[in-house]
Amino acid sequence: MRPGVVALASASLFVLGAAPGGGAGDGLPSPPLPERMADSGGGTQLITALAPRADATSGTVAWWDLRDGRWVKAGYAAARFGARGLTEGASRRQGTNTTPTGLYDLPYAFGIKAAPHGTSAPYRRVHQDSWWCQDNGSRSYNRWTEPRPADCRATESEHLIGYDTQYAYAFVIGFNYERPVHGRGAGIFLHVNGRGPTAGCVSVPAAAMRRILKWADPARGPHIAIGTESGATAITGY
């Protein structure tokens, strides 16, 4: 979602281990975050993208493995969110520069660069005629198109190869993807950091994106949960 169009906004990162819940003052450690969630997607891999509050533009991404019935953190990184924070995915509107909260699948990965060695997720290379259609009047809304169809205006679409930093590596987030609702939003990805907050995606450093791509195993049903520490968009509610 046009990662290069928002200006840098400052926000303080928070400590990953400071998520609320679990001990409730009894001195016991909190259970791992996925164990406190309403749903983890049914697989044995999960990415959590956690912001301290709904108006935050930064937070953390962690990726987890379910091993012997317990969730174990496989890695984590600082993350960036939309320039206007996060909002409930079911009511989000396109063009608001907000990151949609919720639990989503990860249909496939893509990138301008070749997939990191060891990547097992479906990976699509970006070419000169690769576009992501965000035109509400197009039948290709919220889809990769190659080439761009006549009913999808260039001014309402992303020319993927034009974002050589952000789309060096990326994962499609399944927000509004399976049965797209026009006007809700298109082109929500997990991708490499740009210069500041995103226009609605989740971004991480390039090294973390490479690690995530090598870690993700389609056979294990990976999902991504996006949310806040508390409130109406609390990640534990998804």
Side-chain angles (χ1 to χ4, degrees):
M1 175 173 272
R2 297 200 185 282
V5 300
V6 293
L8 177 63
S10 60
S12 299
L13 292 176
F14 62 100
V15 179
L16 181 68
D26 59 8
L28 297 176
S30 296
L33 179 56
E35 294 183 13
R36 292 183 274 125
M37 292 173 54
D39 188 4
S40 59
T44 59
Q45 287 188 328
L46 180 69
I47 299 171
T48 54
L50 181 65
R53 57 191 182 278
D55 63 352
T57 60
S58 62
T60 54
V61 158
W63 46 106
W64 307 78
D65 292 305
L66 184 62
R67 302 175 184 169
D68 299 323
R70 296 300 305 271
W71 286 99
V72 179
K73 189 185 301 176
Y76 68 95
R80 296 172 182 171
F81 300 103
R84 293 188 178 178
L86 299 85
T87 192
E88 171 59 50
S91 58
R92 182 185 184 273
R93 301 303 300 169
Q94 186 165 325
T96 56
N97 288 343
T98 54
T99 298
T101 61
L103 178 68
Y104 307 106
D105 62 356
L106 298 161
Y108 61 91
F110 69 91
I112 294 171
K113 295 185 177 180
H117 179 71
T119 299
S120 59
Y123 190 90
R124 191 167 187 176
R125 288 295 297 275
V126 173
H127 301 112
Q128 187 61 40
D129 58 351
S130 303
W131 293 76
W132 197 276
C133 183
Q134 298 179 169
D135 189 334
N136 277 291
S138 175
R139 290 172 294 179
S140 300
Y141 180 71
N142 202 21
R143 287 292 184 272
W144 178 301
T145 63
E146 200 172 292
R148 180 176 53 83
D151 73 341
C152 186
R153 293 168 290 172
T155 55
E156 297 295 323
S157 304
E158 283 192 350
H159 194 197
L160 298 178
I161 204 165
Y163 301 97
D164 55 335
T165 297
Q166 295 93 331
Y167 296 159
Y169 310 105
F171 242 125
V172 176
I173 294 175
F175 165 74
N176 200 30
Y177 187 78
E178 185 176 354
R179 289 182 291 274
V181 176
H182 290 235
R184 183 161 292 168
I188 300 297
F189 310 129
L190 173 62
H191 64 68
V192 176
N193 283 339
R195 291 178 295 175
T198 73
C201 296
V202 180
S203 72
V204 294
M209 197 66 228
R210 288 192 293 268
R211 290 177 62 194
I212 291 169
L213 285 170
K214 292 188 286 187
W215 160 85
D217 180 355
R220 298 181 61 190
H223 285 71
I224 184 168
I226 305 169
T228 54
E229 288 185 359
S230 59
T233 53
I235 196 168
T236 51
Y238 298 112

